[in-house]
Amino acid sequence: MLSVVYHPIYSDFPLPDGHRYPLQKYQLLKAYIDEHALPVVSHLPKPLHPDALTAIHDPDYVNALITGTLPLVKMRRIGFPWSAALLQRSLTSLGGTVLTVDKAIEEGVAIHLTGGYHHAHYDFGSGFCLFNDLVLAADHALKSEDVDKVLIVDCDVHQGDGTATLAADRDDIVTFSVHCEKNFPSRKPDSDIDLPLERRTNSDTYLDAFVPTLELAIAQHQPDMIIYDAGVDIHEEDELGYLSVSQQGIAERDMAVFHACKRHHLPVAAVIGGGYRTEQTALVPLHAELIHSALAVFYPHLSEKPNNE
Ligand SMILES: [Zn+2]
């Protein structure tokens, strides 16, 4: 069975009415998995201890967020009002990405039903990201005997600026971001590999650019594991992305990543990443492609995609 990591707290922290963050999509995705009786085993993460955050973040920044003393202007850059529940949710989701990495190393693949906080930098957060789970989990993976180099493949439509800066001086974390060229963040520090795409790039053009670059990244950097941010805000109807990739294109992207990992014997920890629609139920089939693809590639004997969508 495919390991997925999920906690009900992912959809449970206070937000002002009309807030852009798709708070409900996490529980909607879990409900979809349960309703379709997909062959997964669900793991409940524990909140990460705040001390663990200083492996990659400024201790003063960590302390200010934990104690609720971060200046309002810095909270505004993150985009959430501070609350104890928000902190607990963040620490639990960080524990979740770390657990997903552990499961992936054990089992070859695992999926986290949240994660992808790639706009969190060393001493500030932005774009709904407090702490950078991708770099933190990569740093954790490197403590494993079998992992000397991690490749972070960031397919969220927004460039992974925080990930790029946090891993800039590290040879053991390689960063690859494929994103919309004219979109948030306006300043895009260099990843090891950046693949900027024009607005309205369609599925075929996306896949023709992305798949060979992924193969090249693996060949060139020889990672021992991949952390995959499978953001679906590349979708044509996403409200914060400006690409024109279809649901089928998302499925093909996810399949391409998993096939590459399997072919190269690379464990893969995947997080669902971004995806923004006022009607949050519309996001569920898009994020579910990640689960279906993982099942099809790694558990083909268990896999049969429901055909009623
Ligand atoms: Zn995004």
Side-chain angles (χ1 to χ4, degrees), residues 86-105:
L86 170 69
L87 253 292
Q88 193 65 11
R89 195 271 190 199
S90 296
L91 294 171
T92 308
S93 60
L94 288 157
T97 303
V98 167
L99 179 58
T100 306
V101 157
D102 285 340
K103 290 289 169 195
I105 291 171

Side-chain angles (χ1 to χ4, degrees), residues 118 156-158 233 274 276:
H118 57 172
D156 189 284
V157 79
H158 304 102
D233 41 14
Y276 302 91

